[in-house]
Amino acid sequence: MGNSICDRFQTDDVVCPAKLRSNILTTGAVDTIDRNPSSTTAKESLHGTAFSLFQQAEIDNLGTDREGIFINENLKRDKIKP
């Protein structure tokens, strides 16, 4: 399943949720997540990034469903694509 999703990301040339609709206003927000940034060890601290995407549907524009992700049974299962 992971390799099939990676194929979709490469085809679309973007990493985004499969359920995201196209042809609709989409806005995003990015924020950092820092817990105990002054710690001297990674064991006691966390630094991350949160991404949120919002889609604003309208009565006359609900957006367009994107093609579903299909599991390709022929992909190798022993390696995950980059």
Side-chain angles (χ1 to χ4, degrees), residues 52-65:
S52 297
L53 296 172
F54 306 92
Q55 294 195 300
Q56 286 82 32
E58 298 177 1
I59 291 173
D60 60 341
N61 181 15
L62 299 177
T64 306
D65 283 331

Side-chain angles (χ1 to χ4, degrees), residues 5-57:
I5 291 171
C6 288
D7 276 346
R8 166 52 90 60
F9 294 160
Q10 290 174 345
T11 299
D12 290 351
D13 200 27
V14 66
V15 175
C16 68
K19 285 299 222 175
L20 213 61
R21 299 170 77 80
S22 60
N23 302 319
I24 190 172
L25 177 63
T26 304
T27 56
V30 180
D31 195 5
T32 57
I33 303 168
D34 292 308
R35 182 184 169 277
N36 198 10
S38 61
S39 174
T40 57
T41 67
K43 188 175 183 178
E44 297 175 6
S45 69
L46 168 75
H47 177 75
T49 306
F51 296 88
S52 297
L53 296 172
F54 306 92
Q55 294 195 300
Q56 286 82 32

